[in-house]
Amino acid sequence: QVQLVQSGAEVKKPGASVKVSCKTSGYTFTHYAIHWVRQAPGQRLEWMGWINAGNDDTKYSQKFQGRVTMTRDTPATTVYMELNSLRSEDTAVYYCARITDNWSGTDVWGQGTTVTVSS
Amino acid sequence: EIVLTQSPATLSLSPGERATLSCRASQSVSSYLAWYQQKPGQAPRLLIYDTSNRATGIPARFSGSGSGTDFTLTISSLEPEDFAVYYCQQRSNWPPMYSFGQGTKLEIK
C-alpha cells in the first residue's frame, strides 16, 4: 500500500538547520508531487511548499522562501525538507503528504516529525 | 496570498444532528477547495476535494458545496467518530500555491 514514512524527532538549537526525510513506497515515485505542511502546538495547519518528484520543480510559501529547501532522491524514492536559521517559532510537527494527481488535495500523509527548537 | 476564514471556531452538536461548517476565501478560488478532518495526535485526512468530490472511502454523510469565495462542508447526521477539527484548504491556479483555514472544532454537546 502507499506509505510515507518520515524520519524521527529532532531537537535543535536556535540558528541551526534541520533536514527531515520522507521515504515513499507503494506507488510510482515520479508520478506525484509531495507537500510539506507543519503544525505548531495547538495551531492550524501551515503549508510550506511542494516538490514535484517527477521533474524536481519546487514551489515554496512566501513565508518560508529563502529559508526552506525541498529536494528528492529518485533512486531512494525519498524527499527531503531542510529548514535553516531555526527559531523557537519553528517548533512544530512537520508532515509530508502526497498531492493527488489532479493537484486538488493530499491523499496520503506521513506520520509527522516533531522538531523542537530550544536553547 | 489567499486567506481562508472558517466559521464557527467551535461547533457543539449531538450525534445524529446535522453539522454545517463554513469557509470563506479572501478572493475567488474557483472550485479548488478541499476539506480535511484531523483528530488529536493524527495526521489530517482528506474528505472532499474540488469543492464537492468525496475522497476515496469517505462516507456519503459528508458533502461539500460552494463556489468562488464561499464554501460549506455538511455532515448530514453526526456519528461519534466525526467529532474532530476540520480544515479547509485552497489551491491557486498554476503554479499551485496552497493555504489552510484556521479550523473548526466540532465537539460533542
Side-chain angles (χ1 to χ4, degrees):
Chain A
Q1 77 277 24
V2 177
Q3 281 192 302
L4 279 61
V5 179
Q6 299 182 224
S7 49
E10 303 264 11
V11 179
K12 296 291 183 180
K13 292 197 181 302
S17 298
V18 68
K19 190 170 186 177
V20 180
S21 68
C22 175
K23 166 70 176 171
T24 74
S25 61
Y27 70 97
T28 303
F29 178 73
T30 53
H31 284 186
Y32 293 86
I34 297 286
H35 278 306
W36 287 91
V37 174
R38 77 177 187 182
Q39 189 170 37
Q43 301 301 308
R44 74 167 74 186
L45 300 167
E46 185 172 31
W47 177 72
M48 300 180 68
W50 53 256
I51 178 167
N52 187 334
N55 61 12
D56 210 27
D57 277 353
T58 55
K59 188 68 176 176
Y60 304 136
S61 166
Q62 276 194 310
K63 177 174 179 176
F64 299 100
Q65 191 79 40
R67 208 161 65 93
V68 70
T69 304
M70 297 176 188
T71 56
R72 62 169 182 173
D73 180 341
T74 301
T77 67
T78 300
V79 297
Y80 302 90
M81 186 283 298
E82 184 170 24
L83 188 62
N84 303 318
S85 304
L86 290 169
R87 35 208 186 232
S88 59
E89 309 88 88
D90 294 319
T91 294
V93 176
Y94 289 76
Y95 293 102
C96 61
R98 190 181 77 165
I99 302 175
T100 56
D101 55 9
N102 62 358
W103 292 79
S104 291
T106 48
D107 58 355
V108 184
W109 292 69
Q111 82 277 18
T113 296
T114 299
V115 175
T116 303
V117 182
S118 174
S119 55
Chain B
E1 179 186 326
I2 298 174
V3 176
L4 297 178
T5 303
Q6 293 186 240
S7 61
T10 303
L11 185 58
S12 299
L13 294 170
S14 301
E17 290 193 292
R18 181 184 186 89
T20 303
L21 287 67
S22 175
C23 178
R24 176 163 288 178
S26 59
Q27 61 191 80
S28 177
V29 299
S30 185
S31 64
Y32 300 130
L33 198 287
W35 291 92
Y36 296 83
Q37 177 193 70
Q38 188 180 33
K39 296 180 179 180
Q42 296 184 16
R45 175 173 71 141
L46 179 65
L47 301 174
I48 301 286
Y49 65 93
D50 288 348
T51 299
S52 60
N53 297 291
R54 275 190 301 277
T56 302
I58 301 304
R61 65 181 181 272
F62 291 91
S63 64
S65 62
S67 65
T69 60
D70 289 297
F71 299 87
T72 301
L73 174 70
T74 301
I75 311 172
S76 59
S77 178
L78 286 165
E79 298 287 341
E81 62 268 26
D82 297 337
F83 292 92
V85 179
Y86 292 82
Y87 292 95
C88 58
Q89 179 200 47
Q90 65 81 28
R91 191 215 96 177
S92 66
N93 285 324
W94 202 263
M97 305 267 291
Y98 298 79
S99 60
F100 290 92
Q102 84 279 17
T104 290
K105 182 179 181 181
L106 179 56
E107 64 177 25
I108 299 177
K109 187 173 183 180

